[in-house]
């Protein structure tokens, strides 16, 4: 792929292959294993043979690496029993590698609307396993998260993104606990219009998330730039301080905000800024 290749336009499998050093890509539990969700077909939904989760091992920057990429084009990248177990197991095995003195880097490509409603309880349990696995693994190696587009990263998986050692986004990315349609459904159109795209990106877009200090790098939609930024963060090693270490700061900031008013970008940036963690 050329230096000008769009990262966003690649499929999950293409992203994983392109992230790893040339010729090192090896997929685990791929489509030919036919590990599908047992819960979709009874509800009239055509399952996918990898359940929308690509797990690959190889090298990145010459070092052993596991890459996990969610396919946003399948069920909106939603997490079910099988897909969630694949990601959690990959992270757990990477942590076990470290405990056996086998250094293994980790990169997560997060394009997901959160838990899959058709298998909600099982999906939620899997996401909890993913959270625990990230916290375990990030003690040994940076866990790099990437949110590029077009789905974004929402629900319980937005917490997974926040738990990553470093988080990379593009301007086109979106990151939030609840997706626009969910907020509109629960709070009403006057509170949140899911069709107002400029408003949505002002609130949850990659640029404002970077300005508020919730992510570590804002990059162009470029495979070369995403990959190089990932390599740079991995070379820096485990951060001395993680974003989640500052939870008391974030809670105090949230307590300052009057929730009776509609939040806007300017108010978000007034509450939070990158300087808060400097």
């Amino acid at each position: 792929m050329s230096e000008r290749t769009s990262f966003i336009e690649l499929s999950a499998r293409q992203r994983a292959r392109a992230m790893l050093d040339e010729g090192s890509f090896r997929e685990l539990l791929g489509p030919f294993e036919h590990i599908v969700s047992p819960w979709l077909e009874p509800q009239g939904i055509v399952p996918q043979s990898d359940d929308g989760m690509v797990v690959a091992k190889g090298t990145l920057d010459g070092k052993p690496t596991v890459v996990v990429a969610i396919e946003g084009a399948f069920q909106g990248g939603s997490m079910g029993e099988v897909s969630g177990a694949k990601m959690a197991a990959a992270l757990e095995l990477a942590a076990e590698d470290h405990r056996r003195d086998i250094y293994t880097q980790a990169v997560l490509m997060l394009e997901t609307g959160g838990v899959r409603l058709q298998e909600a309880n099982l999906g939620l349990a899997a996401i909890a396993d993913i959270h625990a696995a990230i916290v375990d693994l990030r003690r040994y190696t940076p866990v790099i998260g990437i949110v590029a587009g077009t789905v974004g990263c929402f629900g319980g998986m937005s917490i997974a993104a926040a738990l990553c050692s470093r988080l990379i986004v593009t301007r086109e990315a979106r990151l939030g606990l609840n997706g626009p349609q969910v907020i509109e459904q629960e709070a009403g159109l006057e509170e949140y219009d899911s069709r107002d795209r400029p408003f949505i990106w002002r609130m949850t877009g990659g640029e404002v998330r970077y300005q508020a200090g919730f992510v570590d790098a804002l990059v162009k939609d470029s495979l070369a730039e995403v990959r190089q930024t990932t390599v740079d963060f991995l070379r820096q090693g485990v951060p001395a301080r993680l974003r989640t270490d500052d939870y008391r700061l974030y809670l105090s900031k949230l307590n300052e905000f009057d929730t009776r008013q509609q939040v806007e970008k300017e108010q978000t940036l007034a509450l939070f800024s990158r300087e808060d963690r400097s």
Side-chain angles (χ1 to χ4, degrees):
M1 297 183 183
S2 72
E3 292 291 307
R4 300 178 62 182
T5 299
S6 163
F7 188 82
I8 292 175
E9 293 177 1
L10 299 177
S11 68
R13 189 162 285 102
Q14 288 172 325
R15 291 178 180 184
R17 184 182 294 275
M19 180 61 63
L20 292 167
D21 296 337
E22 187 173 356
S24 71
F25 174 92
R26 178 170 63 92
E27 187 165 357
L28 309 178
L29 300 181
F32 295 110
E33 302 292 338
H34 300 291
I35 302 177
V36 303
S37 167
W39 310 106
L40 299 181
E41 194 170 8
Q43 299 180 63
I45 299 170
V46 178
Q48 186 160 301
S49 55
D50 58 8
D51 206 38
M53 184 69 68
V54 177
V55 179
K57 290 198 76 174
T59 60
L60 175 56
D61 197 29
K63 299 179 178 64
T65 304
V66 61
V67 175
V68 186
I70 303 172
E71 180 53 75
F74 178 66
Q75 292 290 302
S78 56
M79 305 291 291
E81 178 186 22
V82 171
S83 58
K86 287 174 70 173
M87 177 179 279
L91 295 168
E92 289 165 359
L93 288 173
E96 286 300 318
D97 278 350
H98 281 274
R99 286 188 274 272
R100 293 181 294 160
D101 297 322
I102 304 171
Y103 183 84
T104 305
Q105 303 176 143
V107 179
L108 308 181
M109 301 176 182
L110 306 169
E111 295 297 331
T112 171
V115 69
R116 189 178 296 165
L117 296 181
Q118 295 89 346
E119 30 189 314
N121 290 340
L122 295 168
L124 286 169
I127 289 175
D129 288 340
I130 291 168
H131 294 170
I134 292 173
V135 171
D136 183 21
L137 180 58
R138 70 184 187 179
R139 297 180 295 165
Y140 306 108
T141 181
V143 178
I144 308 301
I146 303 169
V147 185
T150 55
V151 174
C153 185
F154 296 100
M157 290 306 291
S158 70
I159 300 174
L163 290 171
C164 289
S165 311
R166 302 288 189 191
L167 191 58
I168 302 167
V169 300
T170 66
R171 186 173 180 272
E172 295 83 359
R174 293 178 297 150
L175 176 65
L177 187 57
N178 288 316
Q181 290 85 359
V182 174
I183 299 174
E184 179 184 296
Q185 177 180 308
E186 296 301 317
L189 188 62
E190 292 184 0
E191 176 72 20
Y192 208 101
D193 185 352
S194 64
R195 294 166 297 181
D196 188 344
R197 295 173 67 84
F199 171 73
I200 290 169
W201 258 266
R202 286 201 310 271
M203 296 302 303
T204 62
E207 187 172 7
V208 70
R209 290 308 196 196
Y210 174 73
Q211 292 171 348
F214 294 127
V215 302
D216 302 284
L218 177 67
V219 300
K220 296 177 183 176
D221 175 25
S222 157
L223 169 60
E225 189 165 341
V226 171
R227 190 179 191 277
Q228 186 57 54
T229 304
T230 301
V231 169
D232 290 344
F233 279 150
L234 288 169
R235 287 176 177 174
Q236 291 175 21
V238 176
R241 189 167 184 82
L242 296 161
R243 204 174 350 263
T244 50
D245 293 332
D246 293 326
Y247 67 93
R248 289 189 179 87
L249 169 66
Y250 293 124
L251 284 173
S252 67
K253 294 284 186 180
L254 288 171
N255 287 332
E256 294 175 16
F257 183 71
D258 182 357
T259 57
R260 292 172 296 182
Q261 59 182 309
Q262 173 62 273
V263 68
E264 289 286 350
K265 174 183 176 180
E266 294 72 23
Q267 293 166 308
T268 299
L269 296 181
L271 274 177
F272 304 103
S273 71
R274 300 191 63 77
E275 288 70 30
D276 287 336
R277 299 185 65 242
S278 61

